[in-house]
Amino acid sequence: MRRFDDNDEKKVNNERWLLTYSDMITLLMIFFIVLYTISTVNSQKFQQIAASLGKSFDGTNYVVGQYSGNSILDSIKTTNNTSTDNTIESQLDKLIKQNNLQNMVTYKVDERGFVISLNDTLLFDTGSADVKPDQKATLIKIGNILKAMPNYIRVEGYTDNVPINNSQFHSNWELSVIRATNVVEILVNDVKIDPAKISAVGYGEYRPIVPNDSDKNRQLNRRVDIVIMNSDYNKWEPNQ
C-alpha cells in the first residue's frame, strides 16, 4: 500500500484555489449578465416612452409596453359613434375648429393622463366663478365627448398671482376651488357624468405653468384643467 506523504498533501492544497477561482469567475459572469439585461430592458422602455410622448399627437404610431396604436387615446370611443375618426383628439379638434377656440382650449398628455386646458376668459368674467351662460353649451359639448370614458375625472382650478380684490372671494385659492366646483356641477347635472368618478380641486396661484412675470403668462396660468386620470391613479381613489 502506498503511503500518503507530505508531498501529496501539498499537491492537493495547491490545486484547491482553482475551485474557488472558477466559482468566483462564474458568479461574476452571471452578475454582469444580469446587469446588462436590466440596463437593456430599461433603455428600451425609456426609448419607447420618449418616442411615444413625442408622437402621441402627430398621427404616427406609438408603443408603450404592451399597448400600441395611432394615439394614446385611440382605443377610447364614445358610444354614439364607432368610426375610426371618433377618437377623443379628433372630436376635440373638430369642436375647437367649429367654435374658433384655438386660443382658448388646448390638450396634452402628461403623467396624470389626458389634460384639457380651458382658458379662464372662455368660461368666466374677471374675478367671477360663475360660468358664462353663452359658454355653458361649450362646456357641455366637451363633457359629452368625455362622458363615455370609464376613467376618473379631476377638474382643477388655477389662477395667477394677482391678489383677488372683491367681497365675494377671500383669496385666489378660494376662487380657483369655486370655479372648479362650478364646472363639475355642470358636468354632473347637465352632462350626467357619474358624480362618483369626478372631483374638483383648487390650486390658486401655487401651480403656475409659466412665471407670472407678464400679462401673457398670467393669462396662461388662469385656467381650468379637466384631467382624464390615468388608470394607474384608480388605486388611490377611496372606496376602491
Side-chain angles (χ1 to χ4, degrees):
M1 177 181 295
R2 181 175 178 271
R3 294 179 58 193
F4 184 81
D5 57 23
D6 292 340
N7 291 332
D8 290 327
E9 184 177 0
K10 291 179 180 178
K11 182 177 180 181
V12 173
N13 289 338
N14 288 338
E15 293 178 350
R16 284 180 179 175
W17 69 272
L18 290 173
L19 296 175
T20 303
Y21 178 77
S22 62
D23 289 342
M24 182 183 68
I25 293 299
T26 302
L27 290 173
L28 283 174
M29 182 179 67
I30 295 173
F31 175 71
F32 284 116
I33 290 174
V34 171
L35 285 180
Y36 175 77
T37 302
I38 293 174
S39 64
T40 302
V41 171
N42 286 342
S43 176
Q44 292 173 347
K45 287 182 178 178
F46 279 116
Q47 289 175 3
Q48 290 177 356
I49 292 172
S52 299
L53 292 176
K55 297 178 180 179
S56 58
F57 293 119
D58 64 6
T60 56
N61 289 340
Y62 77 94
V63 178
V64 177
Q66 60 179 319
Y67 303 100
S68 62
N70 293 325
S71 69
I72 288 180
L73 297 179
D74 181 60
S75 61
I76 302 177
K77 308 288 193 300
T78 65
T79 56
N80 297 326
N81 190 340
T82 57
S83 69
T84 56
D85 293 329
N86 197 33
T87 62
I88 298 298
E89 300 101 311
S90 64
Q91 292 180 79
L92 283 173
D93 285 336
K94 184 178 179 180
L95 175 65
I96 291 170
K97 291 177 182 178
Q98 288 179 342
N99 296 274
N100 296 317
L101 299 174
Q102 289 83 354
N103 296 323
M104 296 291 181
V105 180
T106 59
Y107 59 84
K108 65 179 180 179
V109 173
D110 64 18
E111 67 277 0
R112 298 172 298 167
F114 189 81
V115 183
I116 303 171
S117 292
L118 310 176
N119 189 286
D120 78 319
T121 57
L122 172 66
L123 299 179
F124 309 102
D125 291 322
T126 301
S128 172
D130 297 326
V131 175
K132 296 178 182 178
D134 60 332
Q135 290 301 331
K136 182 179 178 180
T138 300
L139 183 57
I140 291 174
K141 290 177 182 178
I142 294 174
N144 284 328
I145 294 174
L146 309 178
K147 183 178 179 180
M149 300 179 66
N151 306 59
Y152 284 97
I153 298 174
R154 190 167 69 195
V155 179
E156 302 173 343
Y158 300 86
T159 69
D160 58 25
N161 65 344
V162 177
I164 190 76
N165 187 23
N166 63 38
S167 58
Q168 188 175 3
F169 302 105
H170 297 97
S171 66
N172 282 323
W173 213 336
E174 184 180 8
L175 173 63
S176 68
V177 172
I178 301 301
R179 282 181 169 181
T181 301
N182 288 343
V183 169
V184 165
E185 288 184 349
I186 291 175
L187 295 177
V188 170
N189 296 332
D190 294 271
V191 183
K192 306 304 180 184
I193 289 178
D194 184 358
K197 71 173 188 177
I198 191 169
S199 59
V201 180
Y203 291 106
E205 64 196 74
Y206 300 106
R207 302 286 182 90
I209 54 176
V210 291
N212 284 296
D213 54 7
S214 68
D215 290 339
K216 181 179 179 180
N217 282 0
R218 282 189 287 271
Q219 184 178 12
L220 291 174
N221 289 328
R222 299 192 303 267
R223 68 195 190 280
V224 170
D225 285 354
I226 301 176
V227 185
I228 315 305
M229 303 299 292
N230 188 305
S231 59
D232 290 341
Y233 284 77
N234 290 357
K235 60 186 177 182
W236 302 112
E237 291 292 330
N239 302 321
Q240 295 299 315

